[in-house]
């Protein structure tokens, strides 16, 4: 099952990190790739996002 929450200025994605600590690297690659795509499509330059991502572990099913 895929779950997400898309808001005006950010998105919530539950992601299971099977690599054990590679979340920062994964999010960097995703954000960089999408920024390049978006900037090329809309003929713009510069950063697309204001801040870096934030990751919080989900402790149990009730937390999600």
């Amino acid at each position: 099952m895929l779950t997400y929450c898309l808001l005006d200025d950010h998105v919530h994605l539950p992601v299971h990190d099977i690599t054990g600590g590679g979340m920062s690297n994964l999010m960097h690659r995703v954000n960089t790739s999408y920024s390049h795509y978006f900037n090329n499509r809309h003929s713009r330059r510069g950063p697309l996002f204001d801040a870096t991502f934030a990751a919080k572990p989900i402790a149990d099913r009730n937390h999600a």
Side-chain angles (χ1 to χ4, degrees):
M1 173 184 358
L2 176 64
T3 304
Y4 65 93
C5 180
L6 181 60
L7 303 168
D8 288 342
D9 61 349
H10 68 282
V11 63
H12 291 243
L13 297 169
V15 177
H16 181 72
D17 181 14
I18 60 172
T19 63
M23 191 62 64
S24 292
N25 189 31
L26 170 67
M27 291 308 297
H28 173 74
R29 290 194 326 253
V30 168
N31 288 338
T32 300
S33 297
Y34 182 71
S35 294
H36 284 283
Y37 159 78
F38 187 90
N39 284 343
N40 285 334
R41 182 171 181 199
H42 296 282
S43 299
R44 66 180 303 275
R45 297 183 63 173
L48 188 58
F49 302 107
D50 287 335
T52 59
F53 82 100
K56 297 179 184 176
I58 296 175
D60 56 46
R61 292 181 82 62
N62 294 327
H63 186 207

